[in-house]
Amino acid sequence: MLRIECPCCGPRDHDEFRYGGDASVKRPAHDDPDPEAWYRYVYIRTNPAGPHREFWQHVTGCRQWLVVERDTRNHAIAAVDFARKLPARKSTLRKSPA
Amino acid sequence: MSSNRKRLSVGARIIREQPVEFTFDGRKLAGYRGDTLASALLANGVTLVGRSFKYHRPRGIFSAGPEEPNALVTLGTAGRREPNLPATTLELADGMVVESQNRWPSLAFDMQSVNGLLAPFLSAGFYYKTFMGPTRRAWMFYEHFIRKAAGLGRAGTGVDPDHYEVRHAFADVAIVGGGPAGLSAARAAAAAGARVALIEQDFLLGGQLLAEPSDSAAAAWLRQAEAELEGFETITLMKRTTAFGSYDGNVLGLVEQRDPTNPQPNGETRQTVTMLRIRSIVFATGAIERPMVFSNNDRPGVMLASAARTYLNRFAVLPGKKIVVATTNDGAWRTAFDYAAAGAEVTVADLRPVPPAALAAEAGRLGVVVRAATRIVDLHGGHAVRRVTLNGPEGQSSAACDLVCISDGWSPTVHLTSHLGVKPVYRDDIDGFVPGVFSASQFGAGAMIGAYATVAAIEDGHRAGIEAAASCGKSAPVSAPSKLDLGETGSSVLREALPAGRAKAFVDFQMDVTTGDIELAHREGYESVEHLKRYTTLGMGTDQGKTSNFPALAAMAALRNATIPETGTTTFRPPYTPVAIGALAGRAIGHHFKPIRRTPMHDWHMANGAEMLEVGLWMRPYFYRQSGRDVNDAYVAEMRNVRQAAGLMDISTLGKIDVRGPDAAIFLDRVYANGFAKLAVGRARYGIMLRDDGIVFDDGTTTRLAENRFFMTTSTAKAADVLSRLEFLLDTAWPDLRVAVTSVSDEWAAMSVAGPNSRAILGAAFPALDVSDEALPHMGLLESEWEGRGLRILRLSYSGERAYEIYVGATAGEQLWSCLLEAGRLLALKPYGVEALGALRVEKGHVAGPEIDGRTTLDDLGLGRMAGKRSGFVGDVLRRRPALQAPNRQRLVGLECIEDGKRLRGGAILFLPDEKPHGHGRGRVTSVTFSPERGHYVGLALLAGDVAAEGSEVVAVYPMKAETVRARVVSPVFVDPQGERLHG
Amino acid sequence: MARYSAFSVFRNALSGQKNWQRAWRAAEPKSSYDVIVIGGGGHGLATAFYLAENHGIRDVAVLEKGYVGSGNVGRNTTVIRSNYLLDGNTQFYEFSMKLWEDMSQALNFNVMFSQRGQLVTAHSADQLDGFSHRANVMRLNGIDADILDREDVRRLVPYLDFSDTARFPIHGAIFQGRAGTARHDAVAWGYARAADSHGVDIIQNCEVTGFVRDGDRIVGVETTKGRIGAGKVGLAVAGHTSVLGAKAGLELPIESHVLQAFVTEPLKPLVDHVVAYGADHFYVSQSDKGGLVFGGNLDGYNSYAQRGNLGVVREVAEAAIALMPCISRVRLLRHWGGVMDMTPDASPIICPTPIEGLYLNGGWCYGGFKATPASGWCFAHTIATGKPHPLIAAYGLDRFRTGHTLDEAGAGPLAWLQ
C-alpha cells in the first residue's frame, strides 16, 4: 500500500483514495475555445520516470482532492497538499454578482 | 516410542511426554510435540520422501526450513487437501494425513522415473526445439501428455471448510526474524520506547541458535532473551508467522499459521494474513546454507550441514551414523563435531588446502577423520546414500556412509529487501550478496548483512534496534545486551569450481536443473541470469531457488570466465514462501466477496414476490411474480398497467447530489451540456453531462430547490463517478466558484408513480397536499414533509406517462411505499420492475446505458439540440472534432420489426437489404422491447447516418441464433410522439 | 542456422548436447544500419524478423537495454485471443491470431501456442446479450465465437462456483475456441533466433540514450555502446515509450502503469482453458509446467517500478476464490509487475511519427502479447514503405486530435483513473 499523509485525515492507505492522474497538466479555462489546448489537456502526458505531481481524492475520507508528489520509479511520496491551493485559471466570463 | 529408531533418548527441544501420531502414504508413524514432519520422518527412518519434478528422481529431506526443495508433500484430504508443502516447515500434529506426490503408482516404484533414462534427450529447453510437427496443431497433441507429466501435487476440488482472516495492524518497528540478531533488535527497540512486532516463521524463537545443543550456553542465552522480551508489554511476539512480502509504504504482508497442536473444537481461523504498517523495519532474516554441486548430489541422505545439526540438536534425531561432511568453510565442522559427540563415525572433506588448525585439533580430539583439499565427486545409492567418491591430494577414494552433509557457504536472505527494489550487492569477503542501500526507515542486522558469528549478530541487532526506534523518534537509553560467543571461527570460504563428475550434478534440485543444463544454456547464448532461469527453469520451483540461485550464478560466472558481480544478480519476487490464495482472500468469500446494496424498500420487495436483479451491486426488483409466469410475461403486463392505470417503481438507487452555493447555477451551467442558469426555482430539468473529450458521460435531472440550491440526480451506475468529477472540477479547475456538492444518495428513498392514475393516487396518499396541475405542473417540484421526514415530489416522466418521482427520508421509504400502494389499490396501482422500466423507456425512445456506451455524442443520440448554440461547458470544444461530426457516424434511430413471427434482438448487426452480411455492418440494435401498443417488437439502434433515412429498410443479423430479420427505420419515439400523455 | 527438430534433439542427445550453437549471435553494433529497432522485446524482435523476411531489409539492428525479452513479453499472462468488437481492432487481432497459428513453424522454434479456448463468464442476461453482440461481430468477421449457457459452462469448467453461495451466479459465457496461450519467453527467443538467421544484429545491454538528428530528420541513435547511424528508427519499447519518446521530442498520450501478474505452485492439470471472470477483474490459465497463471486490474497509479502493491494482491485473490473456491488452499508462488503504456482509448499506437525517420509502436496497454506477430508484421511494413499497413490504419497518433478514437470499453480518456 502507498501511505498517503492526507492533510485532513492523517496517513491512510492509498486504496481509500481515487487516483486523478497528472496534476501538472493545465486545464484550459472553461470557455477556452482552443481545440489544441483541450487536446493537450485531455491527452498529452509527460509521464515522467521520476518525480510526478498527481491528483488523488480521499474518497472514503474527507473527499478533498489532493496533489501528491510521488516518484514513479520507487513510489516514494515527497509531499501532499490540498489541490485547492493551486492558482485557478482566469475565466473570461464575468463572475457571479452574488 | 519404538518406531523412532533414529531418535536419541535425551536432549533437544521435543516434548517426549506428548507423543503425536500421523500417517505417511498410509503408514502409521509417531513423533513428538515439537517435531516438524521432516524430523519425525527422519526419526522413523524414512529417507525417501518425494520425487523430483522432471526426472522423478527419488528425493529425501535436504534442509530444515522453508528453503526445502525436495521433501514436498500433500497434507489433508478432500477440501482440506493442500499440495506441495515442505515437510521441513510443517509442525507435527496429531492425526496429520500426509501423502507423497508426483509419483505413480507408489513413491518407491515410480513409473515416470523412466524419465531419468530419457534424460539425455530432455535437456534444458529441449521442448523449444521439437514437438512442432507433423501438423500445425501438433503441439496440442504433445501438450496433453506433457501437462499430465508436469505439475507437482494435485489441488483439492472440494470446498475448503476452514476460515481465514485478513487483519490490519500497526507498530513502530517490525523485526523480521527471531534469531539472535532479531531477538537483540527487538529488545533494544522496545527498550528505546518503540512498539515492536517481532515476526518469526518458526514455532520457536531462536533461529540458528535452535541448532545448538539444548544444554548449551546458547540455549541459556535464548531462554533469558525470551524471558526478557516477554517482560515488554510493547512487544508483540508473532510466531508461526512469515513475513511473505515487503511492500511500498513500509507495509509487510504476514501470514500466521494457527497452532496445529492445539485445535479448537469449534474450528477457528486456519491462517491469518496481517497487513502490518510500520514506521521502520529491521530485517534480521538470517542466511541460507548453500549446497555443494557434485554428481548425484540429490540423493536421499544428502543434507545441508546446518540442517543435519538442527535435526540432531533440536529434534534429537540422528539420521546417520556414518557421515561425510563436505565443506568449503568452517561452519560445517560444527556439524561434524556434534555428530561425533553423538557417537557417529565422521569424515570431513574440506576443499580448502589447509583447514584452520583449531578445527583440525578439535577433530583430532573427537576422532573425526579430516581430508583436506578434498571434495566429493560422485555419490552412490538409490533411495538412500551408500557411499561417496572423494577426490583429494591422494587421488580418488571411496567412503561408505549413510548421511552426507554439505556446505558451500551461506547466502544472506535478502528476499524481503529485494521486493522493495533494494539491489543486492556482492561482498567478496563472505562470497555472497547483501542488500544494497536501505531506505531511511529500513535496517538490516545479523547474517542477512553478512554478520555470521553469533556474537556479531547480537551486537548488530542491538545497533539496528536502537536505530530503528530512533527513526520513529524513540530513543530512551538502552542497556547493553548479554553476550553470547559461540566461538565461530569466521567465514573463511573457498568457492567450489564446477564439478567434474560424469553423472548429473544438481544445482536446482526441485526443478532438476543440472550443471549440464547451465552449460547448455551458456552454449546457446542464454547467458544473462534471467535467461538462464527462464531457459532452464532454474529457481522456478516452490522454493523459488533459495538454495540454487547462488550456485547457478557461480556456475554461469565460471563458464563466462567472469566474476559473480559481472554475471549478475537476481531479483526476488514476493511472496518469500508460498501463501494460500484463500488466506489472502480472508473473509471476502461467497456472499461476502462484494457488498450487496439494498434500497429502503428491499424487504418489501422480498416479501411481495419480487424477482431481484443485481445491477452494479444494487439489488433491484427485476419483475414481480404476480405479474406473470416469467420475466417476458411479467414485464409486458407491468408495462400495460403503467400505460393504462399506474405503476410504482423503486428508484432509490439513483445518485443524488446536493449542490449549493452562490455560484451553483453557474457551476451547473458549465457541467451540463444544456443550460441551467435560467432554471426557475421549483422547476426541474433533464440534463446531460459530457466528458472532456466530448462523449456523453451521464444524464439525470436537476431541480432548483432555491436560488442557490439544487438537487441533482444521476444514473445509478455513474453516481460515484459524477460526484468525484464535480468535486474535481471545484477543487482543481474552478476553486473560485463558491459551490459545495454533497452526496445525499443514501438519505433519500425514491419511488416513481407513473401512469394516467398517478395524480389521483398522489391525491389520495397526500390529502393535505395540492397536487393539481397548477400547483405541480410537468417538471414541477413540491416540497413538504411526511411523517416528520422530508418529502420532495418531482413531476418527471421516464415512461412518457404522467408520472411523479417521490423522495422521502430513507427511513420512511418502506412506509411511504406501502402507503402509496394502499392509496392506489382502487386505482390499479401495482409495482413494476426494471425490465418493465427499461421497456417503457425504449418505447418512449429515451436513451440509457446501451446507447450511452461511452462512445456516443449528443448528436449521435439525437440530443444535439439540447446544447444548441451554447459553449463553455465541459466537453464542448472536443465534441466538435471532425470525427465526432462526420455525417456517417452512427445515430440513434427507431427500428420496427416488419416480419411476422420474428423479433428484434439487442446486439444484432445491421446491414442494408442488398448487401452481403459481412464485417461490422452499418450499425447495431442497442435495446429492444415488445411493444404492447404496437403489437410487435420495436427497438433502438445506432445506424450510420448516411443510410438511416426514416422509412428505409435494414436487415438485423444475429449469427449467434442464426437469425436474420427485416426491420424498418422509424422515429425512436414509439408511443405518444406529441407528448400529450405527460399531461393526461 | 541449424534447424531444430525431433531429429536434431535426438542427434545432439547422443553427442552430449555439446554441438548446439548460440540461438543468436552476440552481436556488437556496426557504425550504421538501414533500420534500427529500439527494444528487444516481442514486438521489436518480430519487427526485425519481418523487415528481413517480408521486405528483404536485412541490415537491421535491434537494440536492447537489458537482455532480450526482459520487458513485458516475459512478464505477461500469455493470453492470446481475437475477440475484439470495434472495426479496426477486430481484423487486426484476427490477423495476429492467424500468424500465431503458424508461428512455431515459421520461426522453427516451438512457442507452444496452445489453442485451448478462452471463456469469459457472464453473470446476467444483459451481460450475456452484450457478449452475444461481440460474438455476432466476431462471426460476421469470420472469427470463431460461441455463446454458452450456464449448463454448457458447467460441463466445460465444472470447478467454477456453481453453488448457491456464489456472489455473482454464472449465467453463461462467451467462448472462443481458437484462443489460448503461448510460452512467452519462447516468442522473444524464437523471433530473436529467426531474425538473427536473416542477418539481423541483436545487441543486448545497449541502452539508447538519445537520438541523432540531421535537421528535422532522425539519422541515428546515441547508445551506451556509442553512436549508431540509421536510415530509419523504429521505437518498440512499450512501458517506456514516453521516456524514449521524450528524448526524440515526441509528445505522447501515454501513461505508464503497473499491472501485476501471479503464478501459483505447479499443480497437476486443473484448468484446461483460459477463464476470465465477467464479474470482476480476474483471469486464469494453467501453464504447461502446472502453475496457475493469473492477473487482475492495474494497481492504479503512474509507475515505472516493476512491483505491485499488496491491496491488489488481495483483491485478485478474492476474485480468484469467488470464481474458483477450490483453489483456496493452492498457494501463490510469485507475483510481479509489468509497466504498461496506457493510452486514452486503450488501443495501441503504431504509425509513422511527425519526426521524419522515426516510427512508433507502443501504447499496448495490457494487450500487447497477443498482438506481437501482427504488430511486428505491420510495423515492419510501415517502416519499410513509410506508410501505415492497412490493418493498423486506425492506430495513428493523430486519432486523438481528430476524434477517431478506438475505445473498446467506452471508458474514455484515462479510464483507469475511474
Side-chain angles (χ1 to χ4, degrees):
Chain A
M1 317 304 300
L2 309 185
R3 298 280 289 166
I4 297 175
E5 181 98 27
C6 174
C8 197
C9 311
R12 300 298 176 100
D13 284 355
H14 79 274
D15 55 9
E16 292 188 5
F17 297 76
R18 172 190 285 246
Y19 185 58
D22 192 343
S24 67
V25 289
K26 287 279 184 283
R27 186 183 178 89
H30 72 96
D31 52 357
D32 185 335
D34 177 14
E36 186 63 16
W38 282 100
Y39 159 74
R40 295 183 62 78
Y41 167 70
V42 171
Y43 293 112
I44 298 300
R45 295 292 179 269
T46 53
N47 190 26
H52 189 236
R53 281 164 53 77
E54 59 200 22
F55 289 121
W56 291 81
Q57 184 191 18
H58 197 187
V59 281
T60 62
C62 58
R63 293 204 66 90
Q64 297 301 304
W65 278 93
L66 310 173
V67 174
V68 174
E69 270 182 55
R70 189 180 58 91
D71 194 315
T72 60
R73 292 165 303 182
N74 56 25
H75 303 158
I77 292 174
V80 185
D81 205 350
F82 290 117
R84 268 207 175 249
K85 289 182 179 166
L86 286 179
R89 278 251 156 161
K90 277 277 185 308
S91 165
T92 54
L93 257 195
R94 201 161 38 84
K95 254 194 95 184
S96 150
Chain B
M1 211 164 286
S2 62
S3 67
N4 275 231
R5 59 194 172 88
K6 306 241 169 164
R7 188 87 71 175
L8 303 176
S9 55
V10 292
R13 296 167 190 278
I14 49 168
I15 305 173
R16 288 183 173 74
E17 298 72 38
Q18 294 187 31
V20 173
E21 292 195 344
F22 66 102
T23 67
F24 178 68
D25 280 345
R27 273 174 72 195
K28 277 200 171 155
L29 298 173
Y32 297 105
R33 173 100 189 260
D35 261 328
T36 62
L37 175 63
S39 67
L41 286 171
L42 286 171
N44 282 278
V46 176
T47 52
L48 175 63
V49 178
R51 289 277 172 175
S52 69
F53 186 82
K54 187 168 162 187
Y55 301 130
H56 290 251
R57 285 169 70 99
R59 293 286 167 79
I61 290 161
F62 184 68
S63 74
E67 66 270 35
E68 177 63 34
N70 287 339
L72 303 184
V73 298
T74 297
L75 181 64
T77 56
R80 289 200 164 92
R81 188 180 175 86
E82 193 173 15
N84 304 339
L85 298 171
T88 50
T89 61
L90 289 175
E91 188 172 355
L92 195 69
D94 235 3
M96 273 168 73
V97 178
V98 181
E99 267 180 48
S100 60
Q101 54 187 38
N102 203 32
R103 81 290 185 271
W104 187 85
S106 74
L107 183 57
F109 180 76
D110 177 12
M111 292 291 281
Q112 277 191 329
S113 59
V114 67
N115 286 4
L117 300 176
L118 298 175
F121 307 98
L122 309 185
S123 57
F126 77 98
Y127 30 75
Y128 298 124
K129 297 169 182 159
T130 181
F131 301 130
M132 289 182 277
T135 66
R136 207 173 63 163
R137 283 175 68 93
W139 171 245
M140 296 297 292
F141 171 79
Y142 301 116
E143 186 187 42
H144 176 73
F145 298 98
I146 289 171
R147 283 170 79 81
K148 275 193 165 171
L152 286 167
R154 193 162 49 79
T157 50
V159 174
D160 185 345
D162 287 325
H163 300 290
Y164 302 85
E165 294 280 359
V166 172
R167 60 191 279 272
H168 301 267
F170 299 82
D172 293 326
V173 180
I175 303 198
V176 186
L183 293 169
S184 168
R187 174 188 170 277
R195 284 179 307 139
V196 173
L198 175 60
I199 298 141
E200 171 52 51
Q201 65 196 6
D202 204 329
F203 53 92
L204 296 180
L205 291 175
Q208 280 303 320
L209 296 183
L210 296 173
E212 300 295 328
S214 55
D215 55 356
S216 63
W221 186 93
L222 181 55
R223 274 193 300 277
Q224 190 207 326
E226 282 196 68
E228 217 175 339
L229 295 191
E230 274 160 20
F232 284 101
E233 279 181 5
T234 48
I235 296 182
T236 307
L237 271 179
M238 305 180 79
K239 292 186 216 173
R240 299 186 178 83
T241 302
T242 300
F244 63 78
S246 54
Y247 297 90
D248 290 315
N250 268 358
V251 174
L252 285 174
L254 315 177
V255 61
E256 180 182 2
Q257 308 284 334
R258 144 184 93 192
D259 177 355
T261 64
N262 183 25
Q264 303 295 311
N266 298 325
E268 77 278 49
T269 304
R270 186 172 88 95
Q271 291 173 355
T272 302
V273 164
T274 299
M275 300 174 69
L276 179 65
R277 295 157 187 81
I278 50 265
R279 298 165 73 186
S280 62
I281 310 180
V282 176
F283 296 100
T285 45
I288 293 172
E289 197 166 28
R290 299 195 292 245
M292 299 183 91
V293 181
F294 50 84
S295 289
N296 295 315
N297 59 343
D298 63 321
R299 293 297 187 198
V302 178
M303 199 180 274
L304 291 172
S306 60
R309 188 156 178 259
T310 298
Y311 287 116
L312 175 62
N313 289 331
R314 176 173 172 183
F315 299 106
V317 177
L318 194 64
K321 290 188 169 160
K322 202 171 168 68
I323 78 170
V324 173
V325 176
T327 183
T328 56
N329 60 82
D330 295 354
W333 289 69
R334 301 167 66 80
T335 303
F337 299 157
D338 287 0
Y339 270 72
E345 199 179 305
V346 181
T347 302
V348 173
D350 194 319
L351 193 53
R352 296 173 294 182
V354 186
L359 294 178
E362 177 71 0
R365 198 179 64 78
L366 287 164
V368 170
V369 178
V370 176
R371 309 274 298 271
T374 299
R375 61 187 296 166
I376 301 178
V377 291
D378 201 356
L379 183 145
H380 310 274
H383 293 179
V385 54
R386 292 197 316 275
R387 61 187 175 86
V388 290
T389 306
L390 297 172
N391 191 24
E394 310 92 50
Q396 290 211 349
S397 60
S398 181
C401 55
D402 55 1
L403 177 68
V404 174
C405 303
I406 56 178
S407 175
D408 193 13
W410 293 74
S411 286
T413 308
V414 298
H415 300 65
L416 288 173
T417 52
S418 178
H419 295 173
L420 291 166
V422 176
K423 284 233 183 322
V425 293
Y426 180 74
R427 248 177 64 186
D428 210 31
D429 62 326
I430 60 162
D431 189 32
F433 285 94
V434 296
V437 182
F438 283 105
S439 80
S441 58
Q442 293 171 357
F443 306 87
M448 82 90 64
I449 56 166
Y452 289 152
T454 305
V455 64
I458 290 169
E459 277 171 24
D460 208 33
H462 184 71
R463 166 202 53 83
I466 289 174
E467 288 174 5
S471 86
C472 11
K474 312 286 181 184
S475 20
V478 181
S479 63
S482 359
K483 275 197 183 262
L484 175 66
D485 192 341
L486 297 180
E488 291 111 325
T489 42
S491 55
S492 146
V493 169
L494 177 71
R495 181 155 2 96
E496 218 193 1
L498 271 182
R502 276 174 50 86
K504 286 192 179 308
F506 288 83
V507 178
D508 186 318
F509 292 70
Q510 188 179 119
M511 289 286 100
D512 279 337
V513 180
T514 65
T515 49
D517 292 324
I518 296 174
E519 283 170 39
L520 179 60
H522 173 253
R523 191 170 299 128
E524 297 192 273
Y526 299 97
E527 297 169 325
S528 103
V529 173
E530 283 297 324
H531 278 163
L532 171 66
K533 287 169 69 173
R534 289 157 184 264
Y535 192 63
T536 63
T537 72
L538 182 122
M540 299 292 185
T542 61
D543 57 335
Q544 281 214 39
K546 288 185 175 64
T547 55
S548 65
N549 271 314
F550 190 90
L553 190 59
M556 182 55 88
L559 288 165
R560 286 172 60 176
N561 208 10
T563 64
I564 283 185
E566 280 165 0
T567 306
T569 173
T570 68
T571 309
F572 297 101
R573 302 289 183 190
Y576 173 64
T577 52
V579 182
I581 298 172
L584 291 163
R587 280 177 174 261
I589 57 170
H591 282 311
H592 301 289
F593 169 48
K594 295 280 178 192
I596 294 174
R597 303 189 73 180
R598 300 181 177 90
T599 74
M601 287 81 94
H602 182 84
D603 292 348
W604 189 94
H605 303 316
M606 296 307 288
N608 288 275
E611 196 69 43
M612 302 301 279
L613 179 72
E614 179 156 9
V615 187
L617 304 183
W618 281 106
M619 299 307 294
R620 305 193 67 182
Y622 187 26
F623 65 93
Y624 293 86
R625 285 189 286 274
Q626 58 268 35
S627 305
R629 278 175 311 180
D630 60 16
V631 61
N632 291 320
D633 263 9
Y635 90 79
V636 173
E638 289 175 5
M639 273 175 93
R640 280 208 172 93
N641 192 57
V642 170
R643 299 241 184 265
Q644 289 163 10
L648 183 63
M649 172 84 204
D650 182 351
I651 54 168
S652 302
T653 61
L654 291 178
K656 308 170 203 79
I657 299 171
D658 181 275
V659 182
R660 67 174 81 189
D663 298 324
I666 293 174
F667 176 61
L668 292 173
D669 233 26
R670 292 186 192 173
V671 298
Y672 277 122
N674 49 326
F676 274 77
K678 293 185 182 133
L679 183 66
V681 171
R683 302 290 291 180
R685 182 168 290 171
Y686 175 71
I688 291 211
M689 293 181 193
L690 308 187
R691 304 190 309 225
D692 282 330
D693 66 349
I695 299 294
V696 173
F697 177 37
D698 195 38
D699 64 345
T701 57
T702 287
T703 308
R704 192 163 204 163
L705 302 174
E707 182 60 28
N708 293 335
R709 190 156 174 229
F710 294 81
F711 177 62
M712 175 188 285
T713 63
T714 74
S715 70
T716 300
K718 289 279 168 43
D721 291 344
V722 169
L723 180 67
S724 269
R725 188 79 195 146
L726 299 181
E727 290 165 327
F728 178 81
L729 291 169
L730 287 170
D731 273 2
T732 72
W734 311 320
D736 52 326
L737 292 187
R738 293 160 299 167
V739 181
V741 292
T742 309
S743 170
V744 292
S745 294
D746 297 337
E747 291 172 31
W748 297 94
M751 55 209 87
S752 163
V753 185
N757 294 349
S758 54
R759 180 175 54 185
I761 293 164
L762 251 62
F766 306 111
L769 299 182
D770 179 1
V771 294
S772 68
D773 285 355
E774 294 69 40
L776 187 54
H778 182 56
M779 306 308 273
L781 161 75
L782 196 159
E783 273 197 291
S784 181
E785 281 201 351
W786 190 79
E787 300 287 318
R789 277 86 157 196
L791 177 73
R792 286 177 190 161
I793 304 177
L794 288 168
R795 187 161 157 202
L796 300 171
S797 176
Y798 195 48
S799 57
E801 304 299 326
R802 170 189 285 275
Y804 302 85
E805 287 184 359
I806 303 167
Y807 296 83
V808 68
T811 52
E814 188 177 337
Q815 196 186 346
L816 179 56
W817 175 274
S818 300
C819 169
L820 283 166
L821 281 172
E822 181 60 31
R825 196 143 53 114
L826 299 175
L827 293 160
L829 179 66
K830 286 183 185 150
Y832 64 105
V834 291
E835 191 67 10
L837 178 79
L840 289 162
R841 71 96 190 164
V842 172
E843 252 192 339
K844 185 63 188 170
H846 281 311
V847 293
E851 292 80 33
I852 303 178
D853 66 354
R855 292 187 289 266
T856 44
T857 66
L858 269 185
D859 293 309
D860 296 344
L861 301 177
L863 299 170
R865 66 184 184 284
M866 286 179 70
K869 293 196 169 11
R870 298 181 74 242
S871 62
F873 57 88
V874 171
D876 176 45
V877 176
L878 292 188
R879 85 187 180 103
R880 297 168 198 264
R881 285 180 291 172
L884 301 186
Q885 297 291 330
N888 64 346
R889 278 187 74 81
Q890 297 181 0
R891 303 271 159 84
L892 185 78
V893 297
L895 283 187
E896 206 163 33
C897 181
I898 53 175
E899 286 191 79
D900 282 344
K902 291 195 174 177
R903 58 162 297 181
L904 292 171
R905 287 182 199 279
I909 312 302
L910 299 174
F911 292 89
L912 299 182
D914 51 354
E915 68 188 352
K916 182 168 173 268
H918 179 79
H920 290 76
R922 308 291 181 140
R924 67 184 166 102
V925 181
T926 54
S927 308
V928 299
T929 180
F930 179 77
S931 170
E933 301 240 341
R934 297 290 184 103
H936 54 161
Y937 274 91
V938 301
L940 303 179
L942 290 165
L943 182 61
D946 47 356
V947 298
E950 270 184 31
S952 61
E953 207 174 298
V954 292
V955 178
V957 182
Y958 200 100
M960 298 320 296
K961 292 194 186 289
E963 284 179 358
T964 301
V965 186
R966 287 162 51 223
R968 185 181 297 115
V969 179
V970 295
S971 153
V973 186
F974 295 95
V975 299
D976 186 27
Q978 307 305 319
E980 287 158 359
R981 295 186 194 177
L982 293 171
H983 308 285
Chain C
M1 180 178 78
R3 273 192 74 73
Y4 289 162
S5 65
F7 178 69
S8 72
V9 169
F10 179 75
R11 205 186 46 209
N12 274 282
L14 300 183
S15 56
Q17 314 285 358
K18 303 285 187 209
N19 296 322
W20 291 111
Q21 303 162 4
R22 290 183 68 96
W24 59 88
R25 291 166 294 129
E28 285 302 315
K30 300 191 295 186
S31 61
S32 77
Y33 292 88
D34 288 347
V35 177
I36 284 178
V37 178
I38 306 174
H43 293 245
L45 293 165
T47 302
F49 171 69
Y50 291 117
L51 276 169
E53 172 94 356
N54 293 355
H55 303 280
I57 300 174
R58 291 165 183 240
D59 186 28
V60 176
V62 177
L63 308 184
E64 167 53 48
K65 176 173 72 169
Y67 56 91
V68 159
S70 53
N72 291 332
V73 71
R75 291 169 185 274
N76 64 83
T77 47
T78 80
V79 178
I80 292 156
R81 55 186 168 85
S82 59
N83 58 349
Y84 282 71
L85 187 65
L86 298 185
D87 198 357
N89 278 338
T90 313
Q91 303 91 325
F92 173 80
Y93 286 101
E94 175 58 15
F95 178 66
S96 203
M97 177 67 83
K98 292 203 166 82
L99 292 176
W100 278 110
E101 287 172 330
D102 283 326
M103 190 186 289
S104 293
Q105 288 73 27
L107 301 181
N108 181 231
F109 201 100
N110 185 2
V111 299
M112 304 181 193
F113 179 43
S114 168
Q115 292 182 286
R116 55 184 75 166
Q118 186 230 19
L119 65 93
V120 187
T121 56
H123 301 268
S124 69
D126 274 0
Q127 194 176 13
L128 200 56
D129 283 352
F131 286 172
S132 297
H133 172 215
R134 181 179 297 268
N136 285 339
V137 168
M138 290 167 69
R139 285 275 188 94
L140 287 167
N141 281 279
I143 303 167
D144 67 310
D146 288 286
I147 292 295
L148 311 180
D149 66 18
R150 180 176 163 93
E151 288 313 307
D152 296 335
V153 179
R154 193 203 294 265
R155 272 191 296 276
L156 203 60
V157 282
Y159 48 81
L160 302 189
D161 192 353
F162 291 93
S163 74
D164 295 341
T165 53
R167 175 67 181 82
F168 300 105
I170 293 167
H171 195 87
I174 183 173
F175 183 74
Q176 186 185 18
R178 285 161 66 239
T181 62
R183 172 82 183 100
H184 55 10
D185 291 322
V187 175
W189 301 337
Y191 273 118
R193 176 168 166 271
D196 173 86
S197 76
H198 283 323
V200 171
D201 280 353
I202 294 164
I203 302 162
Q204 303 185 91
N205 301 309
C206 179
E207 183 172 2
V208 170
T209 54
F211 290 85
V212 185
R213 286 166 182 273
D214 178 7
D216 293 337
R217 191 182 163 79
I218 284 188
V219 295
V221 294
E222 301 285 356
T223 77
T224 48
K225 295 193 176 193
R227 174 178 290 200
I228 311 173
K232 294 175 176 179
V233 175
L235 195 59
V237 293
H240 290 74
T241 305
S242 298
V243 175
L244 265 291
K247 291 187 200 299
L250 273 185
E251 290 189 321
L252 294 170
I254 288 175
E255 285 194 2
S256 296
H257 283 253
V258 170
L259 182 71
Q260 298 196 52
F262 306 81
V263 64
T264 70
E265 297 176 338
L267 303 167
K268 292 297 177 192
L270 172 69
V271 178
D272 291 333
H273 307 86
V274 180
V275 181
Y277 190 20
D280 202 50
H281 297 285
F282 176 72
Y283 49 91
V284 62
S285 66
Q286 186 168 14
S287 77
D288 288 336
K289 211 160 109 299
L292 301 182
V293 178
F294 56 98
N297 201 5
L298 293 175
D299 274 26
Y301 39 79
N302 285 51
S303 175
Y304 285 92
Q306 289 172 327
R307 62 169 183 264
N309 72 64
L310 183 55
V312 169
V313 177
R314 284 185 44 224
E315 283 168 20
V316 171
E318 289 170 7
I321 301 297
L323 184 64
M324 297 178 59
C326 63
I327 61 170
S328 174
R329 285 171 119 93
V330 171
R331 302 193 303 164
L332 174 66
L333 178 59
R334 192 161 58 243
H335 70 96
W336 64 93
V339 180
M340 312 285 132
D341 281 358
M342 301 305 298
T343 62
D345 60 356
S347 291
I349 301 168
I350 320 181
C351 58
T353 70
I355 301 167
E356 209 185 332
L358 183 65
Y359 297 81
L360 174 63
N361 177 336
W364 286 100
C365 301
Y366 22 67
F369 181 66
K370 69 177 89 69
T372 304
S375 166
W377 182 289
C378 296
F379 195 41
H381 174 101
T382 305
I383 293 172
T385 65
K387 296 198 173 56
H389 187 283
L391 280 171
I392 56 164
Y395 297 152
L397 187 54
D398 60 351
R399 69 179 186 268
F400 303 101
R401 201 175 247 120
T402 61
H404 288 94
T405 50
L406 211 59
D407 189 349
E408 283 274 325
L414 316 187
W416 52 94
L417 308 185
Q418 287 161 16

